[in-house]
Amino acid sequence: MTTFLYEDFAHAYVTEVGDAVRRMRTRHAEAVDLLAKATVGGGEIRAFGNGGSSAIVRSALLQLHAQAGVPVNDAMMSPATLAYTAQREEFRTAFARSLARDIDRVRLVLVASVSGRSANILEAARLCAEHRVPVLALVGGDGTQMELAGGMVWATGTTDQQISEDAMLTVLTLAVATVPGPGTEPLPARAERHLRALAAVDTELLGAFLREATEAVADAIRNRRRIYVLCPDGGPLALAGEHFAHNLAWDAPLGVDGVQPPLVVCDPSLADMSAILNDHPDPAHGVRHQLSSADPEDVVFLLAYDSAGRTTREAVNAATVVGARPFLLHRDGPGRSSAGARHFRLPRVDDFALATLVQSVAHLLCRTTRAALTSAAVLSPDDLMARDLAPLRELSDTPSL
């Protein structure tokens, strides 16, 4: 695939995301009103989602808690809890049971589901209807697939899974940013600035970045090399990193014959992080430790706020020393590195909005990697745009045991 193909695809994809955000903007005020009413007097907010939607709703919860001190379910559901529940009871009711314990204190439930038909999401919405708790539901398509007793269905206007997820995260990020109080920037101005930043993504440079990253990832998957997705600075970028790793581990090879599950290493777990911070106050220790196990030609994606930050520089150096192939996505700092990492610098937006742009890059890379793994002879930007994962989800279904 040529660099021009990657560039044209990136331009088409970013344009579609912007169009979806513009469609959803018409209901931004309603969503903000629901969020604002829920936070009055210390009201609590809960949020639920599956797959990529999990990272999306948790980013909104992190933003609400960090910027406005809103009580939220910080972790949503831990992996250990989910696995334990799925083995012993119906996973269909897992979110509702978690919500039921605190339903009397909850003022709003936020859910995200591109299909709008996830059974555990519908069970949570049913419980909310019984207790008259409003729901803010972000869904794909036109929204008619979900009915609520109270609240709002916020539809993306497209059934494309990745574009829907990017639009959901963007509009949520913008809406939540207005919750802290009257002194915050008005939503229309903030939304317009973000759309300008989205349009300002340099798709020529992004195309070159995507081409190299796609070749590296496809090669790593075929040859059983490790792929690292690391965000040593934490925050919303770490949640975007989790989604990034999910895309590469699960979505890029989904339905591709003869491809084994990739070896993807993501950020440390909560247990790892608490041990690292307790034993080693140096924030660079964790990423150095992770990359000490990397081998030559392993692929390393580093997500950073500032490429000139010490932790980022040490991470790039650690990857370079072992002969890995580092790719750096960042907002601040120089766009070139003497250590030899392939950089891509994103437009200047705040930390939470930056995560929305990184998520789009992850989705672009997921699609181009799928194309590379299927060895498509001739592709066009339209072919890549058509590689929506939603129709392939049935391939990942497994019968109940």
Side-chain angles (χ1 to χ4, degrees):
M1 291 188 283
T2 66
T3 300
F4 291 117
L5 173 60
Y6 286 99
E7 179 184 340
D8 289 345
F9 168 50
H11 177 76
Y13 185 91
V14 168
T15 299
E16 284 293 318
V17 172
D19 289 345
V21 171
R22 287 185 177 88
R23 285 193 297 270
M24 298 182 78
R25 275 184 64 187
T26 61
R27 302 196 67 189
H28 238 143
E30 296 174 65
V32 170
D33 186 56
L34 276 174
L35 289 162
K37 287 179 178 177
T39 60
V40 173
E44 296 187 14
I45 293 179
R46 297 287 182 265
F48 302 99
N50 297 298
S53 297
S54 166
I56 289 170
V57 297
R58 282 183 288 133
S59 181
L61 292 177
L62 175 62
Q63 189 178 6
L64 281 165
H65 185 66
Q67 296 182 346
V70 176
V72 298
N73 51 331
D74 295 322
M76 193 176 82
M77 298 280 282
S78 74
T81 301
L82 288 177
Y84 192 77
T85 301
Q87 292 296 322
R88 284 159 179 78
E89 302 178 57
E90 282 192 276
F91 184 57
R92 178 179 61 85
T93 59
F95 293 160
R97 287 198 305 277
S98 171
L99 176 62
R101 290 192 291 269
D102 303 315
I103 193 74
D104 292 337
R105 299 199 304 269
V106 175
R107 299 285 184 84
L108 178 69
V109 171
L110 171 67
V111 298
S113 171
V114 176
S115 71
R117 298 187 178 93
S118 299
N120 50 14
I121 296 294
L122 296 179
E123 283 292 326
R126 182 191 57 75
L127 179 66
C128 289
E130 290 180 1
H131 291 266
R132 297 183 180 180
V133 175
V135 175
L136 175 57
L138 289 97
V139 301
D142 62 8
T144 57
Q145 71 272 43
M146 179 177 279
E147 294 183 4
L148 298 176
M152 165 185 164
V153 176
W154 204 2
T156 65
T158 176
T159 57
D160 186 294
Q161 180 168 324
Q162 291 78 41
I163 291 173
S164 284
E165 288 180 348
D166 291 347
M168 287 176 178
L169 180 57
T170 301
V171 297
L172 264 180
T173 297
L174 294 171
V176 169
T178 68
V179 171
T184 57
E185 182 181 20
L187 179 59
R190 185 180 183 84
E192 192 56 41
R193 191 175 72 251
H194 184 84
L195 287 169
R196 286 198 299 269
L198 186 63
V201 171
D202 190 326
T203 52
E204 180 178 356
L205 293 178
L206 179 55
F209 180 91
L210 277 176
R211 180 177 184 178
E212 289 191 33
T214 299
E215 292 171 353
V217 169
D219 177 70
I221 291 174
R222 292 190 188 104
N223 293 289
R224 309 301 293 158
R225 299 190 180 100
R226 279 169 292 207
I227 302 167
Y228 293 80
V229 182
L230 306 176
C231 179
D233 293 331
L237 269 188
L239 290 171
E242 179 186 314
H243 197 168
F244 202 129
H246 170 76
N247 288 149
L248 296 182
W250 294 92
D251 294 342
L254 184 63
V256 180
D257 292 335
V259 175
Q260 293 179 279
L263 306 172
V264 180
V265 180
C266 194
D267 279 318
S269 69
L270 178 61
D272 296 331
M273 187 57 69
S274 63
I276 290 167
L277 295 177
N278 184 59
D279 298 339
H280 301 274
D282 179 3
H285 172 81
V287 70
R288 286 198 306 266
H289 177 71
Q290 282 185 290
L291 291 176
S292 66
S293 65
D295 292 321
E297 300 304 312
D298 283 352
V299 179
V300 179
F301 289 98
L302 290 165
L303 313 181
Y305 302 100
D306 185 357
S307 65
R310 187 177 70 84
T311 300
T312 301
R313 287 187 284 107
E314 292 201 21
V316 171
N317 289 337
T320 305
V321 164
V322 297
R325 304 175 68 176
F327 292 84
L328 177 60
L329 282 166
H330 63 102
R331 174 192 60 197
D332 305 324
R336 295 182 180 275
S337 169
S338 58
R342 161 58 85 169
H343 285 240
F344 182 66
R345 184 165 55 194
L346 290 157
R348 292 296 301 273
V349 292
D350 67 31
D351 289 356
F352 286 93
L354 180 63
T356 72
L357 301 180
V358 169
Q359 179 176 284
S360 290
V361 174
H363 282 147
L364 285 162
L365 180 59
C366 175
R367 290 197 181 191
T368 55
T369 299
R370 279 182 51 74
L373 291 173
T374 53
S375 301
V378 179
L379 284 174
S380 70
D382 288 341
D383 293 326
L384 289 169
M385 286 297 295
R387 287 178 174 261
D388 176 25
L389 291 178
L392 295 171
R393 283 301 173 197
E394 61 183 344
L395 297 176
S396 64
D397 289 345
T398 54
S400 299
L401 299 178

